[in-house]
Amino acid sequence: MAGEKKKPVMVVESGAKVRTLGRFLRGRYRVVSSGGHIRDLPPKWLGVSVSNGFAPRYEVLAGKEKVVTGLKTATKGAPEVLLACDPDREGEAIAWHLREVLELSRSRRVEFNEITRGAVERALEHPREIDMRRVEAQQARRILDRIVGYYLSPLLWSKIRGGLSAGRVQSVALRLVCEREAQIEAFVPQEYWSITGTFTPSEAQQAFEAALETYQGEKVELKSEGEAQAVVTALAGAEYRVGGVERKEERRRPRPPFITSTLQQEAARRLRFSARRTMSVAQQLYEGVELGEEGSTALVTYIRTDSVRVAQEALKAARELIGDQWGEQYLPAKPPFYPIKATAQDAHEAIRPTDVRRTPEQVRDYLKADQFALYELIWQRFVASQMADAVVQVTSVKVVARDYAFGASATRTLFPGHWLVHPPAQKAEEKVLPVLIEGQVVQCLGLKPEQHFTEPPPRYSEASLIRALEENGIGRPSTYAPTIQTLLQRGYVERQRGLQPTSLGRRTNDLLVRFFPQIIDVQFTASMEEELDQVERGREEWVKVLERFYGAFEPLVRHAKEKARSEKPPAVPTG
């Protein structure tokens, strides 16, 4: 026991990491877990001294006292303590809190994007000091969220009911859902008609369909049955000819490897996973799963990222696998380039397998069904992202008669490329058109008018809401799933063929929009995210960011309180 205390100590966030890292370190370090955060702002009061530079008052989390005691015992007298928390703002903040609470004098920070022997050894060769810019960015976000929740929630209690809460990002997400529902309810369907002709070459019996597109070169828009029937009448007895045939090859590029948001979206589409389930399973794959005699093994890289960047070592391994398994024709001359969005933090690689040669089939027997499904999705997407383009032939045909033109098209795969590994979730059915030449007479077997109505925009799904948040610059990779989960848990939205706001959610949104339109504004929230990023980059001071926010926020709070006091309390609903 005395010898154990003299070992250097590595502190990680989860027990699963302890097992995985234990395989690599082989007793060189004593690896212990903090179980995530060990302290935070107090749960029952603001815990922020606004008048004193927004100084926070942190407390050890309830139930974590024994963990802290155990960590103090483990680290006491250790020649070195390495803080190996997750490689992001949150992990940096946890490392800082550990250093402060445990009063560590000889601690260093190490981080690795993947829990593999090579990545861990490289990290151990380059320990560093805690990055206080990251810590300050996380602290500013936490204080912002606390201030918004602390002052907005009581307004909801007084105007709607007790126990409700409002959050900075969750309120904007709720606003998006409510505004989409309002669009759906306000939507008035518009009638329109289409006409589909069935044609066949005079010397063959291979029929094909073509849709009416233009009249005298202008797009046809039919708004009633009468207009559609007038076209059918005008074409009675007409001669139909092939007005043109065009064949061209098109290339379909692979999509980039997953980032957090696209993984959540694709897992929702293909696997029907909620965002929360996706992140929970992905975390298991990142921290390590038991692979028989191989022991606890991490299968994917860090799962909270907004960058499509891939390490050269991983690119080389993928290209070797593709060439060996499918042949040189499936290997592009150069690795595909995927641009990184201007708003990306680019702190970490894309989500990929830690070892691309560890195929899904090789680990299937060791994984639970949802672990296998998600690993297979990540593996396929990464391998496909490094493969050659798919090549298709697109054939377009025009059939003309009396100034009217019908159009038909068919797509045929010439070379599957990356589709061989990762086909589209909803690949269009390949149609076959007969061999036709321009000027050829074809027989019309019938014209079919059909009534349609325009449809309202769909409700947000979890996947499309995440995409909307990302596109608008709201939240960051670590916040998408918790934001949606909070809306569901608080009863603000429910799953009803998508995310539908409840009556409680609508009332909450109406109240927040009425009193705090600027604070839960999409553009304002996105600008706050950018300012927090600037804090991390060292281009902004965290206190000044909070001062600017609070300067705009505090007058709104005062106005809301005065208005709430002067208004008649709402009637208590019965039944």
Side-chain angles (χ1 to χ4, degrees):
M1 219 32 203
E4 186 76 7
K5 287 188 178 180
K6 293 178 183 177
K7 282 183 183 178
V9 174
M10 178 182 289
V11 186
V12 296
E13 293 177 47
S14 75
K17 281 186 185 179
V18 172
R19 293 189 296 274
T20 306
L21 287 165
R23 290 181 50 234
F24 306 139
L25 299 175
R26 299 186 181 280
R28 289 156 54 197
Y29 290 83
R30 182 181 180 188
V31 187
V32 294
S33 167
S34 72
H37 281 277
I38 60 168
R39 72 173 183 173
D40 194 6
L41 296 173
K44 295 183 178 179
W45 56 289
L46 179 61
V48 177
S49 180
V50 174
S51 60
N52 186 30
F54 296 90
R57 173 73 176 271
Y58 293 112
E59 295 181 354
V60 172
L61 290 166
K64 281 297 186 80
E65 296 85 359
K66 287 185 178 179
V67 173
V68 170
T69 300
L71 290 172
K72 283 184 175 180
T73 301
T75 56
K76 185 178 180 180
E80 181 183 36
V81 178
L82 296 180
L83 302 172
C85 308
D86 283 347
D88 56 12
R89 281 182 196 164
E90 206 73 20
E92 204 74 18
I94 292 174
W96 176 74
H97 284 296
L98 285 166
R99 187 185 72 181
E100 298 298 299
V101 172
L102 303 180
E103 300 177 337
L104 300 174
S105 58
R106 291 189 299 276
S107 65
R108 300 272 276 169
R109 176 83 165 104
V110 293
E111 63 176 356
F112 26 82
N113 188 57
E114 57 186 81
I115 309 175
T116 59
R117 188 185 305 277
V120 171
E121 292 296 344
R122 286 191 295 272
L124 292 175
E125 291 171 5
H126 300 94
R128 60 171 174 80
E129 297 300 318
I130 288 175
D131 186 344
M132 289 307 298
R133 294 183 305 182
R134 276 193 191 177
V135 174
E136 289 168 356
Q138 189 276 342
Q139 182 166 263
R141 173 189 289 279
R142 183 70 188 96
I143 292 173
L144 266 177
D145 291 342
R146 169 53 62 93
I147 288 172
V148 171
Y150 186 82
Y151 286 109
L152 263 59
S153 297
L155 176 66
L156 301 182
W157 304 342
S158 67
K159 304 296 288 184
I160 301 177
R161 76 175 193 211
L164 300 180
S165 70
R168 186 176 58 89
V169 174
Q170 96 187 32
S171 296
V172 180
L174 177 60
R175 184 175 187 174
L176 290 174
V177 172
C178 289
E179 288 178 349
R180 174 61 61 86
E181 194 70 19
Q183 292 173 355
I184 293 170
E185 291 174 349
F187 183 81
V188 178
Q190 300 294 317
E191 180 184 9
Y192 70 97
W193 285 71
S194 65
I195 298 177
T196 303
T198 302
F199 306 97
T200 185
S202 56
E203 68 276 7
Q205 296 301 314
Q206 189 176 9
F208 65 96
E209 291 185 341
L212 177 63
E213 294 179 342
T214 63
Y215 173 67
Q216 294 182 344
E218 298 291 329
K219 182 180 177 182
V220 171
E221 293 185 354
L222 305 173
K223 298 180 179 180
S224 67
E225 183 178 12
E227 291 181 5
Q229 287 298 337
V231 172
V232 173
T233 301
L235 287 169
E239 180 181 73
Y240 294 85
R241 290 181 177 273
V242 177
V245 178
E246 181 183 16
R247 292 184 181 86
K248 59 181 178 181
E249 288 187 7
E250 294 181 358
R251 308 184 77 84
R252 303 285 194 261
R253 289 199 68 200
R255 288 181 293 173
F258 285 128
I259 59 177
T260 306
S261 60
T262 54
L263 174 62
Q264 291 170 346
Q265 292 163 39
E266 197 73 352
R269 275 192 291 266
R270 291 180 183 255
L271 307 178
R272 299 290 185 262
F273 281 12
S274 67
R276 183 187 188 191
R277 184 181 179 190
T278 296
M279 294 308 290
S280 174
V281 176
Q283 186 76 20
Q284 296 163 20
L285 298 176
Y286 164 67
E287 292 182 344
V289 293
E290 292 292 334
L291 298 184
E293 294 181 1
E294 197 173 346
S296 183
T297 304
L299 294 181
V300 303
T301 55
Y302 192 53
I303 59 171
R304 294 175 182 87
T305 178
D306 57 8
S307 174
V308 294
R309 176 171 51 84
V310 175
Q312 286 300 315
E313 184 181 344
L315 285 179
K316 181 182 177 183
R319 288 176 64 81
E320 288 176 355
L321 173 72
I322 294 163
D324 291 347
Q325 191 148 336
W326 295 289
E328 293 297 316
Q329 69 269 35
Y330 285 92
L331 197 60
K334 296 180 179 179
F337 171 74
Y338 300 106
I340 298 170
K341 293 184 302 182
T343 55
Q345 292 177 274
D346 194 27
H348 311 292
E349 283 187 68
I351 301 169
R352 61 167 176 80
T354 54
D355 181 355
V356 73
R357 289 193 176 274
R358 188 180 281 117
T359 67
E361 286 303 320
Q362 288 175 353
V363 296
R364 178 194 282 271
D365 291 344
Y366 302 105
L367 302 184
K368 297 176 183 175
D370 52 1
Q371 292 174 335
F372 173 77
L374 196 64
Y375 180 65
E376 183 179 51
L377 190 64
I378 293 169
W379 186 90
Q380 289 177 345
R381 175 73 167 243
F382 173 64
V383 173
S385 75
Q386 304 307 312
M387 294 179 73
D389 296 350
V391 182
V392 299
Q393 183 184 72
V394 180
T395 302
S396 300
V397 173
K398 295 291 182 188
V399 176
V400 297
R402 295 179 182 169
D403 292 335
Y404 289 93
F406 294 75
S409 65
T411 302
R412 183 166 63 93
T413 300
L414 300 178
F415 177 66
H418 59 94
W419 285 345
L420 193 68
V421 171
H422 191 56
Q426 294 179 326
K427 187 178 178 182
E429 183 182 348
E430 295 196 359
K431 297 179 181 178
V432 178
L433 288 172
V435 177
L436 301 165
I437 57 174
E438 188 170 351
Q440 178 181 359
V441 174
V442 293
Q443 180 184 356
C444 178
L445 302 180
L447 298 177
K448 180 184 177 183
E450 195 168 2
Q451 183 186 40
H452 308 273
F453 291 93
T454 56
E455 295 185 353
R459 283 183 182 139
Y460 282 113
S461 63
E462 289 195 27
S464 61
L465 181 57
I466 288 168
R467 185 168 61 249
L469 292 172
E470 182 188 35
E471 289 174 350
N472 284 289
I474 299 167
R476 287 298 180 259
S478 62
T479 64
Y480 301 134
T483 295
I484 292 174
Q485 189 61 28
T486 298
L487 293 178
L488 290 163
Q489 286 180 336
R490 299 274 159 79
Y492 293 149
V493 303
E494 58 187 4
R495 294 187 179 98
Q496 292 288 343
R497 295 194 300 275
L499 297 176
Q500 180 183 29
T502 62
S503 58
L504 175 62
R506 288 181 180 222
R507 290 171 65 197
T508 299
N509 179 66
D510 290 346
L511 194 66
L512 294 176
V513 170
R514 179 181 166 202
F515 286 112
F516 301 96
Q518 302 100 312
I519 302 302
I520 63 168
D521 175 72
V522 169
Q523 290 184 337
F524 177 81
T525 305
S527 70
M528 289 305 305
E529 297 288 0
E530 176 57 27
E531 289 192 45
L532 293 172
D533 289 348
Q534 296 290 21
V535 171
E536 182 171 338
R537 297 179 188 122
R539 299 173 188 166
E540 276 278 16
E541 294 182 24
W542 71 276
V543 174
K544 288 185 178 179
V545 169
L546 292 173
E547 285 174 347
R548 284 196 297 272
F549 172 82
Y550 194 76
F553 181 65
E554 194 272 336
L556 296 175
V557 172
R558 275 191 286 109
H559 172 73
K561 287 181 177 178
E562 292 166 3
K563 194 78 173 170
R565 279 195 297 267
S566 65
E567 291 179 349
K568 187 177 179 181
V572 178
T574 59

